Amino acid sequence: MSKKRVFLTRRLHEFALKELRKKYSIEVHSGKIPIPREKLLKKIANVEGLICFPYDKIDKEVIDAAKNLHAISTYSVGYDHIDINYAKKRGIQIGYTPDVLTDATADLAITLMLDLLRRVTEGDRIIRRGDWKVIYGAYDYVGVDISKKTLGIVGLGRIGRVVAQRAKAFGMNVMYYNRNRLSKSVEQKLGVKYSTLNSLFSKSDVVSLHVPHNSQTNEMVNLSLLKKMKKNSYIVNTARGKIINESDLIFALKKKLIAGAALDVFTNEPIDSKNPLLKLENVVLAPHIGSSTAETRAKMAEITVKNLNRGIAGKNPIYSVK
Ligand code: DGY
């Protein structure tokens, strides 16, 4: 019997490719990233399995082009790049990689928060520009304390909860907003207080976003919410760029309606060289590296392969998009 075919829109770890080659006839896209649309449409036509990445748009047109597709396995926890409803209608299994990247992503949210409040990257820019004068005076280049500040977490799922634990270790007070309030006992265990979204934005010193991107969360952070924030407060986003209306955020930062932002994700990635965020001193930027540690990326590859195997066999992936 001939091997089933699997297409990968970019390279995975060698150990993962080796596993895949044992079972399937695989083809890995090389060259321009993300894969050009025309090539994706052509390559997906006859395969049974697809391994994709967050920058690949797997929409209705792509799914329609894939006549034999049984499984899509995305190398990410986010799946807003896939038309899930349409793929489900076609009976395609969809796997993703939560859990294994929770610690790494939570660590990055905390890293960005510390950086922003203590102005580390800003200082790095000052030094590299050759502008480091004698700055040790009472008012020179001061950041703010982390401990005793209030962190408002939007979305207390897997990653949000770990961020809460980390923040408590820094002596922060933690409040959260979630679509569904957690039970009192879980709140007590985590040491977090529930808040409405409006109240969280008005009371927090730092807001950190941990919701998935979907039709309900698209641009949920807009000017009206940003205006509720304290002038000396900050926002951190390691979830998805489109959760924030980026123009509203830029306006709020320029007008000093808030003190700063640390962003790992953006409306368009990579960001345009003319994006005003690049000119703002009160902003820390990261190139979408939430899950980007060697250990985590290897675990993601392992899960991606396992999800694909199960999906192609007509079973629910280990982590199946519901
Ligand atoms: C994810 O896995 O969704 C991370 O944001 C990396 O893309």
Short mmCIF file of all heavy atoms in Angstrom, two decimals, residues 54 75-79 97 101 238-240 265 288 290-291 297 300, ligand 1:
data_model
loop_
_atom_site.label_atom_id
_atom_site.label_comp_id
_atom_site.label_asym_id
_atom_site.label_seq_id
_atom_site.Cartn_x
_atom_site.Cartn_y
_atom_site.Cartn_z
N PRO A 54 1.56 29.28 12.36
CA PRO A 54 0.61 30.39 12.52
C PRO A 54 0.52 31.39 11.36
O PRO A 54 -0.50 32.02 11.20
CB PRO A 54 1.10 31.09 13.79
CG PRO A 54 1.79 30.04 14.55
CD PRO A 54 2.43 29.15 13.53
N TYR A 75 1.40 23.79 14.38
CA TYR A 75 2.52 23.89 15.31
C TYR A 75 2.32 25.19 16.12
O TYR A 75 3.06 26.14 16.01
CB TYR A 75 3.81 23.94 14.49
CG TYR A 75 5.11 23.95 15.24
CD1 TYR A 75 5.60 22.81 15.85
CD2 TYR A 75 5.90 25.10 15.30
CE1 TYR A 75 6.82 22.81 16.51
CE2 TYR A 75 7.11 25.11 15.95
CZ TYR A 75 7.56 23.96 16.56
OH TYR A 75 8.78 23.97 17.20
N SER A 76 1.25 25.20 16.89
CA SER A 76 0.92 26.42 17.66
C SER A 76 -0.24 26.11 18.59
O SER A 76 -1.01 25.17 18.35
CB SER A 76 0.52 27.56 16.72
OG SER A 76 -0.59 27.19 15.93
N VAL A 77 -0.37 26.95 19.61
CA VAL A 77 -1.58 26.84 20.45
C VAL A 77 -2.71 27.63 19.83
O VAL A 77 -3.88 27.28 19.94
CB VAL A 77 -1.30 27.30 21.92
CG1 VAL A 77 -0.97 28.78 22.00
CG2 VAL A 77 -2.47 26.98 22.82
N GLY A 78 -2.36 28.72 19.14
CA GLY A 78 -3.39 29.54 18.49
C GLY A 78 -3.81 28.88 17.20
O GLY A 78 -3.00 28.23 16.52
N TYR A 79 -5.10 28.98 16.88
CA TYR A 79 -5.55 28.39 15.59
C TYR A 79 -6.46 29.36 14.85
O TYR A 79 -7.32 28.96 14.07
CB TYR A 79 -6.20 27.03 15.81
CG TYR A 79 -7.18 26.95 16.96
CD1 TYR A 79 -8.47 27.44 16.83
CD2 TYR A 79 -6.79 26.40 18.17
CE1 TYR A 79 -9.37 27.37 17.89
CE2 TYR A 79 -7.67 26.33 19.24
CZ TYR A 79 -8.97 26.81 19.09
OH TYR A 79 -9.83 26.76 20.14
N THR A 97 -1.23 22.66 19.82
CA THR A 97 -0.20 22.31 20.82
C THR A 97 -0.27 23.13 22.13
O THR A 97 0.67 23.84 22.47
CB THR A 97 1.21 22.49 20.23
OG1 THR A 97 1.39 23.89 19.96
CG2 THR A 97 1.43 21.71 18.97
N LEU A 101 3.49 24.67 25.83
CA LEU A 101 4.09 26.01 25.72
C LEU A 101 3.61 26.98 26.79
O LEU A 101 3.91 28.18 26.77
CB LEU A 101 3.85 26.60 24.31
CG LEU A 101 2.46 26.54 23.70
CD1 LEU A 101 1.45 27.31 24.49
CD2 LEU A 101 2.50 27.01 22.27
N THR A 238 0.90 39.02 24.89
CA THR A 238 1.61 37.86 24.34
C THR A 238 0.61 36.90 23.70
O THR A 238 0.96 35.75 23.43
CB THR A 238 2.39 37.10 25.44
OG1 THR A 238 1.47 36.82 26.51
CG2 THR A 238 3.57 37.88 25.95
N ALA A 239 -0.62 37.37 23.50
CA ALA A 239 -1.68 36.47 22.99
C ALA A 239 -1.77 36.55 21.47
O ALA A 239 -1.11 35.76 20.77
CB ALA A 239 -3.00 36.80 23.66
N ARG A 240 -2.52 37.50 20.96
CA ARG A 240 -2.59 37.74 19.52
C ARG A 240 -2.76 39.24 19.32
O ARG A 240 -3.52 39.90 20.06
CB ARG A 240 -3.79 37.01 18.89
CG ARG A 240 -3.55 35.55 18.60
CD ARG A 240 -2.52 35.32 17.48
NE ARG A 240 -2.31 33.92 17.18
CZ ARG A 240 -1.37 33.15 17.72
NH1 ARG A 240 -0.54 33.64 18.64
NH2 ARG A 240 -1.23 31.88 17.35
N VAL A 265 3.12 40.38 20.01
CA VAL A 265 2.24 40.06 18.88
C VAL A 265 1.62 41.34 18.34
O VAL A 265 1.43 42.31 19.08
CB VAL A 265 1.13 39.08 19.34
CG1 VAL A 265 1.67 37.68 19.55
CG2 VAL A 265 0.47 39.59 20.61
N HIS A 288 7.25 37.90 18.33
CA HIS A 288 6.36 36.73 18.50
C HIS A 288 7.17 35.49 18.94
O HIS A 288 7.28 34.51 18.20
CB HIS A 288 5.60 36.44 17.19
CG HIS A 288 4.37 35.60 17.41
ND1 HIS A 288 3.21 35.74 16.68
CD2 HIS A 288 4.11 34.60 18.29
CE1 HIS A 288 2.31 34.86 17.09
NE2 HIS A 288 2.83 34.16 18.08
N GLY A 290 6.71 33.93 22.11
CA GLY A 290 6.11 33.36 23.33
C GLY A 290 6.52 31.91 23.59
O GLY A 290 6.87 31.55 24.71
N SER A 291 6.48 31.09 22.57
CA SER A 291 6.77 29.66 22.78
C SER A 291 8.21 29.32 22.40
O SER A 291 8.57 28.15 22.33
CB SER A 291 5.81 28.83 21.93
OG SER A 291 6.04 29.08 20.55
N ARG A 297 9.85 24.26 21.91
CA ARG A 297 9.66 24.05 20.47
C ARG A 297 9.81 22.56 20.11
O ARG A 297 9.11 22.06 19.24
CB ARG A 297 10.63 24.91 19.67
CG ARG A 297 10.25 26.39 19.66
CD ARG A 297 9.08 26.62 18.74
NE ARG A 297 8.40 27.87 18.96
CZ ARG A 297 8.63 28.99 18.27
NH1 ARG A 297 9.56 29.02 17.35
NH2 ARG A 297 7.92 30.07 18.53
N MET A 300 6.64 20.89 21.18
CA MET A 300 5.57 21.23 20.23
C MET A 300 5.66 20.35 18.98
O MET A 300 4.65 19.91 18.44
CB MET A 300 5.65 22.71 19.84
CG MET A 300 5.22 23.65 20.94
SD MET A 300 5.66 25.38 20.56
CE MET A 300 4.57 25.74 19.19
C1 DGY B 1 1.16 29.92 19.37
O1 DGY B 1 1.56 28.77 19.53
O2 DGY B 1 0.03 30.19 19.00
C2 DGY B 1 2.15 30.97 19.65
O3 DGY B 1 1.59 32.23 19.61
C3 DGY B 1 3.21 30.88 18.64
O4 DGY B 1 2.65 31.18 17.42
#
